């Protein structure tokens, strides 16, 4: 008999309050804001189309001011709809709203596309002096970035067609992936009892001290992924091919080129990062050999990688998590602690477990006149405390960067993971320093090592998988699930070596990872962030409180300067 388990944890009832955006899915302000954005976009087009060559610096600054206001107004309903949908992917009303606002925002965006095309095409003799003018200083980096896309831009008519078709193309398949994985359940058969759990609950069992339960969870997840094999494999094939078509029509040389351009990083730097991580695989192997010995196992399987070393692995309630994380950030910086307090006190976090909720965790930057929101799936495990710390790092970053304006508040992925991983380090050291039980200290240390491996090494594995996947799709055509599974195992094998046995089940686990779907070639940014944070945290240990003001200033700049300029004042050369 299968028990339909209602997801539960100490975070039950911890749901976000989205009323700072809109009251309900039917709030008339949603339509009103979109109508206002459309009207202003029409006026913007009338005022500035074919007129950029005649604008002086103050006039161009006024134009960018208005562009920023329109884009923020247009995006606010989209942000709200995405949050609603992530929180409950199986609610048709949420899907309907998401579809509607995306279609409307595409139409508005198409009114504005002329501006970025005309600006990118403007002769250097005109554009460069404008960017050097004091009136445009606050937008200089935004204007520089826009011009870098000139070799990859199409005609305005082509750009508008692509934008209109995206909602029934790539974006539609991305939404379908979210809805399938959000509704997915797994029947975990253990000790004669079958429990039907959602994906986050099932994945959480891979950290359970009971090996038979971990194995049962791994089997259940695999069965569910196999059940959705056809549609998930098709989604992957379609989106990888869609990426190829984009690369061809926009003249990107490799599948990673567009991501590197948006990340403001050279391929040679990415290659150095990948090579350095792969050269250090013996460190991972050494650790897993030690873990196998400590666990007393003859063989370590993929579902054993995150096994705690004792049966009494530490847990933390939501209330304890709140106290730990808030205190940790407050000790680092009272300003950071105050911002974190707002997230908890004002219900900007959605942490409870429920069916239909998107798996994983994220922090979504809001419009500059509101604030970010955080989604996580809290299961009371110590690693969930780290997840909350991670997302609150993003939240602080997004909160502080609102002052540079909506167009520049987001940073490239290369530095987007800095605040999140740094936040994990702060909370980890607080936990470690306050713990006296040797077993718990060992559990914290091994957990941190495994998190670092997951961030530095596993994310490079995922990058290698994506490289293999995109290359195979281009060379071999549409790929069967078994072929993608082979590529997944090929990419994972070097990290695990002869120390971890990757089971047949593991060959299916590429299917639930959202980064491949939402943001191709995202994952190397995690590795970049981990290594950058280790450098920054060493500086913090050396300088103490003197380090903090510069760090908080760095976060407040958002994406208004390049990644190298961002961290240089802290004494880090990002290109080294």
């Amino acid at each position: 008999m299968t028990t339909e388990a209602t997801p539960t944890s100490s975070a039950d009832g911890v749901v976000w309050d989205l009323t700072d955006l809109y009251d309900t899915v039917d709030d008339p302000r949603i339509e009103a804001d979109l109508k206002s954005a459309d009207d202003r976009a029409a006026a913007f087009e009338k005022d500035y189309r074919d007129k950029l060559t005649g604008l002086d610096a103050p006039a161009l600054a006024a134009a960018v001011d208005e562009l920023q206001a329109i884009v923020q107004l247009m995006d606010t309903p989209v942000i709200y709809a995405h949050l609603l949908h992530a929180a409950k992917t199986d609610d048709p009303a949420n899907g309907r709203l998401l579809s509607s606002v995306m279609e409307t925002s595409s139409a508005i965006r198409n009114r504005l596309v002329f501006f970025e095309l005309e600006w990118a095409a403007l002769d250097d003799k005109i554009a460069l002096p404008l960017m050097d003018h004091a009136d445009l200083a606050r937008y200089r980096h935004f204007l520089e970035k826009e011009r870098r896309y000139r070799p990859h831009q199409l005609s305005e008519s082509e750009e508008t067609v692509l934008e209109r078709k995206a909602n029934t193309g790539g974006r539609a398949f991305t939404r379908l992936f979210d809805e399938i994985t959000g509704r997915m359940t797994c029947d975990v058969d253990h000790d004669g009892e079958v429990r039907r759990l959602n994906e986050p609950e099932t994945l959480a069992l891979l950290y359970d001290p009971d090996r038979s339960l971990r194995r049962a969870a791994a089997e259940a997840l695999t069965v569910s992924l196999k059940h959705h094999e056809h549609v998930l494999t098709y989604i992957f094939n379609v989106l990888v091919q869609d990426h190829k078509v984009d690369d061809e029509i926009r003249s990107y040389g490799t599948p990673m080129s567009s991501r590197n351009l948006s990340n403001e990083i050279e391929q040679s730097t990415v290659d150095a990062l990948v090579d350095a991580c792969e050269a250090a695989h013996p460190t991972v192997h050494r650790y897993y050999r030690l873990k196998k010995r400590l666990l007393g196992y003859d063989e370590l399987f993929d579902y054993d990688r995150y096994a705690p070393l004792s049966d009494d692995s530490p847990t933390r309630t939501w209330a304890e998590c709140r106290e730990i994380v808030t205190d940790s950030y407050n000790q680092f910086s009272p300003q950071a602690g105050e911002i974190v307090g707002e997230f908890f006190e004002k219900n900007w976090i959605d942490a409870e477990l429920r069916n239909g909720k998107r798996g994983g965790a994220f922090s979504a930057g809001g419009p500059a006149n509101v604030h970010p929101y955080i989604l996580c799936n809290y299961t009371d495990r110590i690693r969930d405390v780290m997840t909350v710390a991670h997302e609150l790092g993003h939240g602080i970053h997004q909160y502080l960067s609102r002052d540079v304006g909506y167009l520049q508040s987001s940073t490239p992925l290369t530095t987007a993971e800095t605040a999140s991983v740094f936040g994990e380090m702060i909370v980890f050291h607080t936990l470690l320093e306050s713990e006296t039980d040797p077993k718990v200290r060992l559990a914290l240390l091994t957990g941190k090592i495994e998190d670092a491996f997951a961030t530095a090494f596993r994310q490079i594995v995922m990058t290698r998988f994506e490289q293999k996947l995109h290359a195979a799709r281009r060379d071999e055509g549409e790929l069967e699930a078994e072929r993608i599974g082979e590529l997944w195992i090929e990419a994972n094998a070097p990290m695990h070596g002869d120390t971890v046995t990757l089971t047949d089940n593991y060959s299916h686990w590429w299917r639930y990872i959202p980064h491949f779907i939402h943001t191709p070639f995202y994952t190397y940014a995690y590795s970049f962030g981990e290594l950058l944070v280790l450098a920054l945290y060493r500086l913090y240990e050396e300088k103490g409180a003197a380090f903090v003001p510069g760090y908080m200033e760095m976060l407040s700049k958002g994406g208004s300067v390049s990644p190298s300029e961002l961290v240089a004042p802290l004494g880090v050369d990002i290109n080294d």
Side-chain angles (χ1 to χ4, degrees):
M1 179 178 178
T2 302
T3 303
E4 286 277 1
T6 301
T8 185
S9 77
S10 65
D12 288 353
V14 179
V15 298
W16 51 29
D17 177 3
L18 299 180
T19 56
D20 285 343
L21 294 170
Y22 299 101
D23 289 334
T24 65
V25 69
D26 299 317
D27 191 329
R29 291 181 298 159
I30 297 173
E31 185 175 347
D33 283 352
L34 289 170
K35 175 67 166 58
S36 177
D38 190 42
D39 290 343
R40 290 174 70 171
F44 183 86
E45 183 179 16
K46 181 179 179 181
D47 290 342
Y48 294 108
R49 179 182 284 278
D50 299 324
K51 298 176 183 176
L52 263 64
T53 54
L55 296 183
D56 59 14
L60 181 58
V64 181
D65 282 340
E66 178 62 6
L67 176 68
Q68 178 167 258
I70 295 168
V71 173
Q72 177 170 286
L73 186 61
M74 170 185 71
D75 282 358
T76 302
V78 176
I79 293 168
Y80 178 70
H82 273 295
L83 293 174
L84 282 179
H85 187 254
K88 202 79 173 97
T89 63
D90 55 358
D91 187 332
N94 295 344
R96 188 163 52 248
L97 176 66
L98 180 60
S99 176
S100 173
V101 299
M102 290 295 290
E103 290 166 8
T104 305
S105 69
S106 287
I108 299 169
R109 197 173 300 279
N110 278 340
R111 289 189 183 276
L112 304 172
V113 71
F114 80 90
F115 186 86
E116 63 185 63
L117 295 176
E118 289 186 22
W119 169 249
L122 201 62
D123 191 280
D124 283 348
K125 294 178 181 178
I126 300 174
L128 297 181
L130 284 171
M131 289 192 296
D132 286 336
H133 198 282
D135 285 345
L136 282 163
R138 65 188 185 278
Y139 290 126
R140 180 181 177 88
H141 191 58
F142 167 74
L143 294 170
E144 285 177 335
K145 286 196 301 181
E146 288 297 303
R147 289 179 64 79
R148 291 190 192 126
Y149 284 91
R150 177 165 42 185
H152 311 290
Q153 289 172 332
L154 309 176
S155 69
E156 183 177 345
S157 60
E158 291 170 323
E159 292 285 359
T160 56
V161 167
L162 287 175
E163 176 62 32
R164 290 187 65 187
K165 291 291 290 181
N167 291 317
T168 54
R171 292 173 191 159
F173 282 99
T174 298
R175 173 182 160 185
L176 179 60
F177 172 87
D178 285 345
E179 293 190 359
I180 290 171
T181 54
R183 301 180 191 195
M184 192 170 72
T185 58
C186 306
D187 291 342
V188 180
D189 186 351
H190 183 246
D191 287 345
E193 178 187 4
V194 180
R195 289 184 293 158
R196 181 160 292 164
L197 306 177
N198 62 21
E199 179 201 294
E201 290 178 296
T202 306
L203 289 170
L205 293 179
L206 298 177
Y207 297 79
D208 196 272
D210 185 338
R211 193 182 201 189
S212 64
L213 182 55
R214 296 197 303 273
R215 185 167 53 242
E219 180 65 31
L221 177 63
T222 303
V223 168
S224 189
L225 290 171
K226 283 182 176 179
H227 177 72
H228 298 288
E229 176 182 285
H230 174 72
V231 67
L232 290 175
T233 303
Y234 187 70
I235 290 171
F236 267 73
N237 270 288
V238 167
L239 290 177
V240 172
Q241 177 64 7
D242 186 65
H243 190 95
K244 174 179 180 287
V245 173
D246 276 347
D247 286 346
E248 289 174 344
I249 64 177
R250 294 193 180 280
S251 301
Y252 284 113
T254 72
M256 293 183 72
S257 296
S258 59
R259 178 64 55 214
N260 293 343
L261 181 61
S262 66
N263 281 348
E264 302 180 58
I265 193 170
E266 296 297 324
Q267 184 65 49
S268 58
T269 305
V270 178
D271 291 340
L273 169 70
V274 171
D275 291 344
C277 288
E278 291 183 334
H281 281 160
T283 301
V284 184
H285 303 160
R286 177 185 172 205
Y287 173 78
Y288 282 137
R289 289 190 190 98
L290 172 63
K291 183 165 188 175
K292 180 170 65 174
R293 191 169 81 241
L294 291 172
L295 288 170
Y297 293 167
D298 293 328
E299 188 172 7
L300 202 67
F301 293 98
D302 49 71
Y303 53 78
D304 295 321
R305 288 171 300 160
Y306 305 118
L309 296 181
S310 65
D311 291 343
D312 54 349
S313 57
T315 60
R316 294 293 186 271
T317 65
W318 178 254
E320 290 171 325
C321 169
R322 174 176 177 170
E323 181 179 0
I324 292 166
V325 173
T326 304
D327 288 350
S328 299
Y329 273 108
N330 194 58
Q331 289 174 28
F332 173 74
S333 160
Q335 182 186 13
E338 183 178 348
I339 296 169
V340 166
E342 286 194 79
F343 273 89
F344 286 107
E345 293 159 13
K346 297 181 179 179
N347 300 319
W348 298 348
I349 304 176
D350 192 304
E352 77 170 9
L353 301 171
R354 59 179 172 272
N355 292 325
K357 183 177 178 179
R358 177 178 158 179
F362 64 78
S363 180
N369 59 339
V370 187
H371 52 78
Y373 282 97
I374 287 172
L375 177 143
C376 63
N377 289 271
Y378 196 79
T379 63
D380 292 338
R381 298 177 185 275
I382 198 73
R383 63 182 298 269
D384 293 319
V385 177
M386 293 300 174
T387 298
V388 173
H390 180 103
E391 298 307 334
L392 280 166
H394 281 307
I396 293 169
H397 199 173
Q398 293 158 341
Y399 185 98
L400 290 172
S401 66
R402 295 176 303 167
D403 290 343
V404 299
Y406 186 67
L407 291 177
Q408 300 186 108
S409 58
S410 297
T411 70
L413 296 179
T414 37
T415 48
E417 294 301 329
T418 304
S420 54
V421 179
F422 197 92
E424 286 187 64
M425 292 290 285
I426 293 169
V427 172
F428 166 72
H429 281 282
T430 299
L431 285 169
L432 189 65
E433 290 163 7
S434 64
E435 185 56 61
T436 57
D437 186 330
K439 287 186 177 180
V440 176
R441 285 178 61 84
L442 181 59
L444 289 170
L445 286 165
T446 55
K448 187 58 182 171
I449 291 169
E450 289 162 12
D451 286 344
F453 285 177
T455 308
F457 295 103
R458 186 167 180 262
Q459 302 301 330
I460 294 301
V461 165
M462 292 186 184
T463 298
R464 282 297 194 206
F465 167 68
E466 284 190 276
Q467 290 175 328
K468 291 173 180 289
L469 176 66
H470 284 256
R473 180 66 177 85
R474 295 181 184 202
D475 293 342
E476 303 171 24
E478 187 165 296
L479 303 171
E480 296 182 357
E482 291 78 7
R483 177 61 178 137
I484 302 178
E486 290 174 1
L487 299 173
W488 175 247
I489 294 297
E490 282 178 19
N492 275 271
M495 173 182 169
H496 298 97
D498 62 357
T499 62
V500 177
T501 300
L502 301 177
T503 64
D504 290 340
N505 284 337
Y506 195 69
S507 67
H508 300 274
W509 286 20
W510 50 270
R511 297 174 192 166
Y512 74 84
I513 298 172
H515 294 87
F516 303 148
I517 300 298
H518 286 266
T519 320
F521 297 103
Y522 184 133
T523 59
Y524 74 73
Y526 284 106
S527 305
F528 198 100
E530 176 75 19
L531 301 181
L532 176 58
V533 163
L534 289 173
L536 292 174
Y537 202 84
R538 175 58 59 85
L539 290 172
Y540 171 50
E541 289 180 322
E542 293 173 356
K543 297 181 179 181
F547 170 86
V548 177
Y551 176 81
M552 298 297 284
E553 173 67 17
M554 177 191 76
L555 300 187
S556 71
K557 290 180 181 178
S560 63
V561 297
S562 70
S564 58
E565 292 176 279
L566 196 64
V567 300
L570 295 174
V572 174
D573 179 1
I574 210 168
N575 297 309
D576 184 349

